[in-house]
Amino acid sequence: MGALPVYRWRLAPDGLATRRQLRALGLRPGGQDVVAEVQRPRRRRGPLVAYLYRIDQAKPVRPMTPARAAALDAAMRARRTCPNCRRDAGYCIPRSLGMCVPCSDSFTAVA
């Protein structure tokens, strides 16, 4: 990918978009190759890089099927279920804690 045009942050030409920008428009890359990249410089590390795709070649996002919706619900339910008390916490369990906040608080109080 060294032969790709590189643009500075916020200076990409019209007609090109990142994956997130395509998604906001209800589109997806649809198998097309990366056309260019945008680089955002940082002080102490390498630049942030985002790949750009052509908007005119993008395809519409596939519709959500009942099976995909069920799979997404199951995955989110698994992220909300505390492995310690097996209850639905109502929020995604923080990976840093590994359990719901009440279980984490009681665990740290005992230890």
Side-chain angles (χ1 to χ4, degrees), residues 27-69:
L27 301 171
R28 61 186 170 96
Q32 66 174 301
D33 292 330
V34 175
V35 178
E37 64 182 43
V38 176
Q39 291 187 352
R40 179 179 178 203
R42 296 190 292 181
R43 291 179 192 240
R44 294 188 177 100
R45 293 180 278 176
L48 290 174
V49 177
Y51 298 112
L52 298 173
Y53 301 90
R54 291 182 49 171
I55 295 174
D56 59 347
Q57 291 183 355
K59 296 180 180 176
V61 174
R62 294 184 183 119
M64 182 67 74
T65 64
R68 286 177 66 196

Side-chain angles (χ1 to χ4, degrees), residues 66-76:
R68 286 177 66 196
L72 183 60
D73 289 341
M76 292 307 293

